Amino acid sequence: MIYPIVAFGDPVLKKEAAELPKGEDIKQLASDMFDTMYNAKGVGLAAPQIGKSIRMFVVDAEGFDEEECKGFKKVFLNPEIIEEGDTEWAFEEGCLSIPGIREEVWRPETIVVQYFDENWKQHKETLTGINARVFQHEFDHIDGILFTDHLSGLKKRLNKNRLLGISKGRVDVDYRMKFPK
Ligand code: ZN
């Protein structure tokens, strides 16, 4: 099932999402989230982006031509960032909930994360480069943070009208979106 993607301005995107009860069967939801993400040509999708305020996201960074991205197709349940490296780097990010806007965001290059997979097996991993980037963008979503929240005051002002336009449905995308009332 392909869900409509919640657009900027919907309060669910600003909310801290709830922990999943351990053992909850999320396999169908994960499969639907991958379908929804691929349909919109995304590399990550967090549950709040389909209107579900739970701490879950899916990523598939295999399309990036980087060594670390090989095999980086995963479901993350109740994830945590337990360590952040000192080095930050800038990378241009976009978001399926904020179509048409891309901006550079600074984030740590390396992070150590802990999470459960779709079988509720726990993992602890070090992520670097693009993988760490995608993880942090999606992790922000389950804390109610958008990449535009990381921008400077000037960039925020420059994007203000476009963001307002997105929240009012002024977008040109080939996937279905849900706009705030
Ligand atoms: Zn996003």
Side-chain angles (χ1 to χ4, degrees):
M1 173 188 171
I2 292 172
Y3 284 89
I5 292 177
V6 169
F8 179 90
D10 190 307
V12 74
L13 294 178
K14 299 302 289 175
K15 217 170 125 181
E16 192 180 325
E19 289 257 321
L20 276 160
K22 205 175 163 190
E24 179 132 313
D25 183 5
I26 50 71
K27 282 190 178 156
Q28 185 59 49
L29 179 59
S31 161
D32 290 343
M33 284 176 67
F34 275 117
D35 289 347
T36 301
M37 180 182 84
Y38 292 135
N39 180 62
K41 296 179 179 65
V43 297
L45 183 75
Q49 292 182 279
I50 56 164
K52 297 188 187 296
S53 194
I54 50 175
R55 301 187 79 78
M56 169 175 178
F57 56 80
V58 300
V59 306
D60 183 351
E62 290 195 284
F64 286 97
D65 192 21
E66 302 290 339
E67 190 58 34
E68 74 265 14
C69 296
K70 283 186 190 135
F72 197 64
K73 177 188 169 183
K74 289 171 194 278
V75 178
F76 295 93
L77 308 176
N78 294 345
E80 287 171 74
I81 298 177
I82 54 180
E83 226 179 288
E84 290 185 345
D86 294 331
T87 314
E88 295 208 336
W89 67 303
F91 185 80
E92 203 179 70
E93 296 187 19
C95 181
L96 296 177
S97 296
I98 313 175
I101 297 182
R102 298 192 68 86
E103 293 286 357
E104 279 200 343
V105 180
W106 287 85
R107 296 188 192 269
E109 199 174 2
T110 304
I111 50 173
V112 181
V113 303
Q114 199 165 286
Y115 64 94
F116 294 91
D117 66 18
E118 65 275 27
N119 298 308
W120 288 97
K121 188 172 178 274
Q122 196 171 28
H123 301 264
K124 184 181 171 188
E125 281 165 18
T126 299
L127 302 180
T128 59
I130 299 285
N131 296 356
R133 168 72 47 176
V134 176
F135 184 101
Q136 288 172 94
H137 178 112
E138 301 310 328
F139 185 83
D140 269 357
H141 273 301
I142 61 174
D143 275 340
I145 299 165
L146 300 171
F147 83 90
T148 45
D149 294 325
H150 290 282
L151 303 179
S152 68
L154 174 66
K155 287 268 177 179
K156 278 194 183 117
R157 284 196 296 281
L158 289 172
N159 281 306
K160 203 177 156 204
N161 286 335
R162 290 171 76 193
L163 288 170
L164 191 65
I166 293 168
S167 72
K168 291 186 169 164
R170 290 198 291 271
V171 293
D172 180 20
V173 287
D174 50 14
Y175 51 89
R176 205 150 58 90
M177 294 192 81
K178 179 180 171 278
F179 299 97
K181 285 279 161 312

